[in-house]
Amino acid sequence: MADTIAAISTASGAGAIGILRLSGPEALPIAYRHLSFFEGAFPLSSIKPRNAYTCRFVDGEKKLDQVVFIYFAGPNSFTGEDLCEIHTHGNPILLREALECLFRSGARPAKQGEFTKRAFINGKIDLNEAEAIGRIIGARSRFELELAQKNAFGEISRLASNLRSQLISLKAECEAEIDFSTEDLTFESLEERKKRIRSISDICSNLLKRSSETETLLERSRVVLYGEPNTGKSSLMNLILGRDRSIISEIPGTTRDYISEDFLLSGVPIRLIDTAGVRETRDKIEKMGIERSEKEFSQADVRLFVIDVSQKNDWNKFAEENRSKLEGAIVAANKSDIRDPSWDPQYILKKNYPGTVLVEVSCKSRQGLDTLVSEVSVKLQGLESSEDYVLLEERNRFHFSSITRSLENCLTLMEEGAPAEIYIKEIDSALEQIGEVNGRVDTEEILGRIFSKFCVGK
């Protein structure tokens, strides 16, 4: 790159430290013009890469701040170019004033994602790692962060490289058979070749399936409140949200349809859903609401079964009748502050239903609320800790889908008795797509679309 770019690389707003970043051929000379070293005369040639220098940032005779300056000589830098970082105090006005000084000295404002784009163009990272950096910055949960970190450390890139190696080997075998068909040589059987193609296709299909499951989980984890009328579902929802969202009434059947609210619980994006109370009814509208409640509860990622322990009940019979709903659910035993003598948590706990957790709570006194929220978080973390999940960007989902289609077309042609000269074209197509996964792209439009999602300074 012929020009030198500069930007503020820390988040907007005040903070303890702010960082200015420059990258390009003139990064060091431009920064040096605004540095005043405490040692007095300090020539440019004395600055050593990867050393931290405490000095002043100046605008002519005006001292702006005491800073820490670090120079990274290309190609041994994040961008692969000469790169400088100036660490100032984190006042936004100060940072902006210092940045304007760098612009007046020859740098130009960096575009969104331009530092990372230069790192990609200069071969410091591949496209998967570049996209993963954007995910790391914008991750909304620990789960998404861990997946982005795996990609940043090359998981998808290594997988793509392995598949590319297998496809090249497959193509070489096919070409050898075409070129030396008249020679007395032994090649793998057609069935062996089909088996290799199916194996690669299955890897791509499985990857796409796991990616789809991951995206669903990233979008929202569904936490559903379920139970009979007047057990306190709506009150519990309001307490978890910290505000009145559901209407509370002593009249059974107040909630006729489910009510949902999106929010972050322990840093995890969830959709909390309050459903209609489940009971026998002749009211058609209420009956429709109950049917939706059943559906929502069955599809929930975390099921919160709310029961009213202030009422006299045969809890042993209740547990037997609701076994399918209790298994794997968090049971919120509400109104525990006024529990009926008939209530004993052992009626449910002694059944040892798989995954069932019971928490005694009181919406009135807030007793057990923190424990309940903690148990929901544990369930969510359990959903999100599986190593089976994989994060694919939209671009890669397209490429892996195209590879699968090409290989399936290849198998169809082989089944139809097509010669190797014909079906090898589908292998070529798959090879072209796998090359795109790791970033063999050369159109400015594609690169612009990817890096435009980044923040300025990254």
Side-chain angles (χ1 to χ4, degrees):
M1 298 287 180
D3 52 355
T4 298
I5 57 174
I8 300 169
S9 289
T10 39
S12 60
I17 297 171
I19 300 176
L20 296 167
R21 180 184 269 180
L22 300 95
S23 182
E26 295 298 310
L28 182 58
I30 290 172
Y32 182 77
R33 287 172 205 155
H34 297 279
L35 302 178
S36 173
F37 293 86
F38 294 111
E39 294 85 350
F42 198 88
L44 180 65
S45 58
S46 299
I47 295 177
K48 297 178 181 179
R50 299 181 181 275
N51 280 21
Y53 297 92
T54 303
C55 51
R56 298 184 185 91
F57 190 96
V58 297
D59 181 12
E61 297 297 319
K62 181 181 178 183
K63 299 173 184 176
L64 294 185
D65 196 15
Q66 182 171 311
V67 303
V68 174
F69 172 75
I70 307 172
Y71 166 56
F72 301 90
N76 300 315
S77 70
F78 172 70
T79 59
E81 307 171 325
D82 283 357
L83 186 142
C84 296
E85 286 187 357
I86 302 168
H87 297 229
T88 75
H89 291 94
N91 183 294
I93 301 171
L94 171 63
L95 280 163
R96 192 70 221 174
E97 189 173 351
L99 184 63
E100 290 295 337
C101 291
L102 300 177
F103 291 157
R104 288 196 298 271
S105 294
R108 71 160 174 81
K111 299 174 184 176
Q112 286 180 279
E114 192 167 3
F115 287 93
T116 308
K117 182 178 178 180
R118 290 189 176 202
F120 165 71
I121 290 171
N122 292 323
K124 304 301 291 185
I125 56 175
D126 66 27
L127 207 52
N128 294 313
E129 293 164 343
E131 289 172 318
I133 290 170
R135 281 277 193 170
I136 287 173
I137 294 169
R140 298 164 298 170
S141 66
R142 183 177 297 165
F143 174 54
E144 186 173 4
L145 177 60
E146 288 174 356
L147 289 171
Q149 287 170 329
K150 282 162 57 176
N151 287 359
F153 291 126
E155 182 167 294
I156 298 299
S157 301
R158 285 191 295 272
L159 174 64
S161 295
N162 179 267
L163 291 176
R164 184 172 182 271
S165 177
Q166 292 185 51
L167 285 168
I168 289 173
S169 172
L170 187 64
K171 181 184 178 184
E173 180 75 17
C174 294
E175 288 184 335
E177 185 175 340
I178 294 168
D179 294 340
F180 303 104
S181 58
T182 59
E183 303 291 333
D184 187 18
L185 298 172
T186 302
F187 300 99
E188 66 182 358
S189 69
L190 193 63
E191 287 305 314
E192 288 175 330
R193 190 168 296 171
K194 288 178 185 178
K195 186 177 179 181
R196 290 174 66 186
I197 293 172
R198 285 195 189 96
S199 175
I200 299 170
S201 179
D202 288 345
I203 290 172
C204 294
S205 296
N206 185 48
L207 192 66
L208 288 165
K209 179 184 176 183
R210 289 159 58 199
S211 171
S212 178
E213 292 170 350
T214 302
E215 288 299 326
T216 299
L217 198 55
L218 284 175
E219 186 60 31
R220 285 289 180 269
S221 293
R222 299 167 68 85
V223 179
V224 176
L225 293 154
Y226 174 90
E228 296 177 352
N230 283 356
T231 53
K233 299 184 301 299
S234 297
S235 297
L236 198 54
M237 180 173 186
N238 291 342
L239 283 173
I240 293 173
L241 291 174
R243 62 186 179 84
D244 289 342
R245 176 63 178 86
S246 292
I247 297 173
I248 299 171
S249 171
E250 294 179 358
I251 303 170
T254 302
T255 304
R256 295 295 187 98
D257 198 357
Y258 67 84
I259 298 169
S260 66
E261 188 76 11
D262 295 339
F263 77 115
L264 289 175
L265 181 66
S266 302
V268 178
I270 74 164
R271 175 164 292 167
L272 187 62
I273 301 172
D274 178 19
T275 61
V278 179
R279 64 172 180 171
E280 293 294 330
T281 180
R282 294 182 179 180
D283 187 311
K284 290 184 179 180
I285 302 299
E286 187 180 355
K287 197 170 184 178
M288 290 174 64
I290 291 169
E291 288 173 356
R292 292 188 179 185
S293 297
E294 298 282 3
K295 183 179 179 181
E296 288 295 324
F297 191 66
S298 66
Q299 295 177 345
D301 297 304
V302 177
R303 299 184 297 160
L304 263 177
F305 195 153
V306 186
I307 60 176
D308 179 359
V309 298
S310 70
Q311 301 295 317
K312 187 174 182 178
N313 203 342
D314 184 344
W315 292 107
N316 187 56
K317 181 181 178 182
F318 175 87
E320 291 294 341
E321 290 176 346
N322 292 276
R323 175 172 185 159
S324 63
K325 293 182 173 64
L326 291 169
E327 287 183 353
I330 299 174
V331 182
N334 192 26
K335 306 183 186 180
S336 59
D337 54 326
I338 52 171
R339 70 185 69 186
D340 185 82
S342 65
W343 165 246
D344 185 343
Q346 291 305 313
Y347 281 122
I348 293 175
L349 294 176
K350 70 182 180 182
K351 302 293 183 182
N352 292 320
Y353 293 150
T356 302
V357 177
L358 189 144
V359 181
E360 293 186 324
V361 298
S362 168
C363 291
K364 186 175 181 180
S365 67
R366 302 177 66 91
Q367 171 196 335
L369 181 63
D370 291 342
T371 303
L372 182 67
V373 171
S374 177
E375 290 293 346
V376 172
S377 297
V378 168
K379 287 274 189 182
L380 290 170
Q381 289 166 10
L383 285 172
E384 298 180 347
S385 62
S386 173
E387 290 297 320
D388 290 335
Y389 291 108
V390 65
L391 184 61
L392 290 181
E393 300 298 337
E394 183 180 349
R395 177 184 66 85
N396 278 343
R397 287 198 296 274
F398 170 79
H399 293 313
F400 281 112
S401 294
S402 298
I403 293 167
T404 303
R405 283 195 300 273
S406 294
L407 295 180
E408 290 301 319
N409 290 340
C410 183
L411 286 169
T412 300
L413 289 169
M414 294 171 79
E415 292 287 350
E416 293 172 351
E421 292 90 340
I422 300 299
Y423 64 71
I424 197 175
K425 295 183 183 299
E426 296 295 342
I427 298 175
D428 286 335
S429 177
L431 261 172
E432 183 179 347
Q433 292 298 324
I434 200 68
E436 300 289 340
V437 170
N438 280 357
R440 199 190 66 194
V441 293
D442 51 15
T443 66
E444 193 64 28
E445 179 185 357
I446 294 174
L447 293 180
R449 188 166 64 246
I450 292 169
F451 292 105
S452 66
K453 299 175 184 177
F454 283 54
C455 54
V456 173
K458 192 62 186 176

